[in-house]
Amino acid sequence: QVQLVESGGGLVQAGGSLRLSCSAAGRTFSSFAMGWFRQAPGKERDFVAASTGSAVYADSVKGRFTISRDNPKNMMYLQMNSLQPEDTAVYYCAASNTVGWPPPRNLAAYPYWGQGTQVTVSS
C-alpha cells in the first residue's frame, strides 16, 4: 500500500521561506514522476512543480520554488522562497506511474496523493 506523507507546512510572513517534505512508503518512485500541487480555499487544485530528475514548474513559482528528490530515501522536497500571500494553500505531494520527460502537470497522471500540509503566508 502506497503512502505519501507531507510535512513542513506552517505560517510564515511574506518574503519568508518554508521547506516541505514528502515521504513515500510502500513503493519506490525513483524512476517515476513525482510532483507538488496546491489548492487554495475555493479554488481548484493546481500544479506547482514536478520532477523525474529534472524539474518543471508552474510559471507562478518559477525562480522562487525548487523541487528536489532523495531517491535512496524515497523523499521529495519543495523549497519555497520569497513566499507571498497568494501562495497560501494546502500543498499536496503526488506520485505517478509515469516515466520519461517531461513529467506530467495534470492531476489525472498522479494516482497517489498525500493528505496535504497547510501553508499560510501573512502579509
Side-chain angles (χ1 to χ4, degrees), residues 43-65:
K43 295 189 176 182
E44 295 183 346
R45 192 171 298 187
D46 289 332
F47 170 77
V48 174
S51 169
T52 51
S54 295
V56 293
Y57 297 93
D59 288 345
S60 59
V61 307
K62 200 174 296 183
R64 300 187 299 124
F65 291 11

Side-chain angles (χ1 to χ4, degrees), residues 8-43:
L11 173 64
V12 64
Q13 288 189 329
S17 298
L18 281 174
R19 187 194 194 208
L20 306 183
S21 299
C22 172
S23 173
R27 182 182 149 179
T28 299
F29 287 100
S30 57
S31 300
F32 301 96
M34 294 185 71
W36 290 95
F37 293 77
R38 67 186 181 185
Q39 188 166 19
K43 295 189 176 182

